Amino acid sequence: MEDILVLGTVGRERVHSFGITSPVVFGGTAFYAAEAILRAGAARPLLVSALGHDLTPAELADQFSGPVNTRGLRRNADLPSFYWEARYDRTFEESTTVALENRLIDGFAPDWFALGDSFPGIRFCYLAAFDPKVQLACATHFAECFVLSETLEYWIGRNRQGVLDLAGISNGFVVTEREFRALWEFDAPPYTPYRRVAGILERCGLDLLIVTFADRGSQVFDTEGTFLVPALSCATVDSTGAGNAFSGGIVAHLAQSGKYQRGRLLDAVALGTVLASLQVRDFSNRALWRASSSAIGALRQKVRSSIRWFDPGV
């Protein structure tokens, strides 16, 4: 199976959650998604990101549970790597940034033609939250691929139109409930009727749109209707990276057939839900790394069997 292109941040982070402070650990949007792809048993993640003078590709690769492709990484000898430090509230749904180092993103301009020439077989791309200009460039160059994209309120606040443009050239788009409201200016809580969101799918040409609700699960909208996927109950230590693990699991499962097949979507979201629930149980990628394949498979079946609400939109 060909590599899955993963665009996003990689670096280090520190999190203050309720009563617990992590050491400085490895993290970043692409980091968590790549680990989830590995645990989903799919292809290697092809990491497309920027590293600073304080982190080498080999050092980063050693932090994963399996082999990753680092040929899409670019180093900047003048700046430090991505760093994020934040404090979560009791619900783990809201965080306050304490420190942020992301100057690498400003000048990050991958050679998309070289990447395409080096990896002509790529069929799936996951574009984690990043500067929309870079995401748009990647999605445009790999227009023949299935592209699953995400964003953050941080980027919506700086370039809302760019994020909307990204949704318009992606195949799949994943947003939180708050991000959905910021982009489309109305609410989409759990059990939102299909007719409320169908127009967005049509205008953007999306195959699927997923709205996530943290520990309340997620709702999937596609061209045939909508369904709600309950979350798995678990004790949360750090919710950082849960959304990336969720999306990484989805794109990994969809990629196993070599092309997008709607019939694989429900199982893909069930797998993403499992990986997200594992991600929150420890700092960095520790819980994902520890989980056995048999445990992941059993949890996926549990989630799959819990999906009972569908709205065909007719």
Side-chain angles (χ1 to χ4, degrees):
M1 187 182 300
E2 296 293 337
D3 291 354
I4 297 172
L5 188 151
V6 180
L7 169 71
T9 56
V10 291
R12 297 180 176 91
E13 62 190 25
R14 192 181 194 198
V15 172
H16 309 273
S17 58
F18 183 64
I20 305 174
T21 294
S22 76
V24 175
V25 296
F26 283 87
T29 57
F31 179 83
Y32 293 119
E35 182 61 43
I37 289 169
L38 290 170
R39 297 319 321 272
R44 288 187 310 173
L46 168 62
L47 295 171
V48 179
S49 190
L51 298 179
H53 57 71
D54 53 349
L55 183 58
T56 68
E59 184 181 6
L60 177 67
D62 285 342
Q63 310 308 313
F64 292 99
S65 63
V68 297
N69 190 331
T70 61
R71 290 174 60 187
L73 297 175
R74 301 186 66 177
R75 294 193 75 195
N76 186 318
D78 299 319
L79 292 172
S81 297
F82 173 82
Y83 176 78
W84 180 68
E85 185 172 349
R87 189 178 307 278
Y88 280 100
D89 65 8
R90 289 173 179 264
T91 68
F92 288 97
E93 291 192 35
E94 299 292 334
S95 65
T96 301
T97 296
V98 176
L100 177 64
E101 171 57 70
N102 68 348
R103 287 176 293 167
L104 283 173
I105 294 176
D106 292 338
F108 184 59
D111 188 337
W112 300 116
F113 288 99
L115 273 174
D117 290 344
S118 298
F119 303 98
I122 287 177
R123 294 292 177 267
F124 284 80
C125 301
Y126 167 62
L127 312 186
F130 209 79
D131 186 333
K133 297 189 297 293
V134 180
Q135 291 176 301
L136 282 163
C138 182
T140 300
H141 188 83
F142 290 95
E144 299 303 313
C145 298
F146 182 91
V147 176
L148 182 68
S149 302
E150 287 182 349
T151 190
L152 287 172
E153 285 189 87
Y154 175 90
W155 294 114
I156 296 171
R158 285 156 178 77
N159 187 359
R160 177 174 175 269
Q161 187 57 53
V163 176
L164 288 170
D165 291 343
L166 175 65
I169 63 171
S170 298
N171 301 89
F173 204 64
V174 183
V175 289
T176 67
E177 188 176 9
R178 286 170 57 103
E179 291 160 1
F180 183 98
R181 185 187 308 118
L183 282 171
W184 288 293
E185 300 176 334
F186 68 92
D187 291 325
Y191 299 101
T192 292
Y194 181 73
R195 65 180 183 276
R196 289 272 290 165
V197 177
I200 295 173
L201 288 164
E202 183 176 358
R203 290 194 301 274
C204 294
L206 288 165
D207 292 310
L208 61 100
L209 172 65
I210 303 176
V211 184
T212 62
F213 311 110
D215 60 359
R216 293 170 294 150
S218 62
Q219 188 166 348
V220 182
F221 300 85
D222 75 351
T223 56
E224 297 186 27
T226 182
F227 58 90
L228 190 77
V229 183
L232 283 169
S233 178
C234 65
T236 298
V237 173
D238 174 15
S239 62
T240 308
N244 307 120
F246 175 75
S247 296
I250 292 172
V251 74
H253 188 75
L254 293 176
Q256 289 178 2
S257 65
K259 61 180 180 179
Y260 176 67
Q261 295 178 343
R262 200 265 177 180
R264 299 180 64 86
L265 180 57
L266 196 151
D267 280 327
V269 179
L271 176 59
T273 301
V274 169
L275 297 177
S277 77
L278 292 170
Q279 172 59 41
V280 304
R281 301 181 193 196
D282 205 342
F283 299 112
S284 192
N285 60 339
R286 296 171 180 173
L288 277 177
W289 191 322
R290 289 196 304 265
S292 67
S293 297
S294 59
I296 292 172
L299 288 171
R300 182 173 70 174
Q301 184 54 43
K302 179 179 179 179
V303 174
R304 179 71 168 77
S305 63
S306 72
I307 302 172
R308 296 189 178 93
W309 183 81
F310 297 84
D311 176 6
V314 295

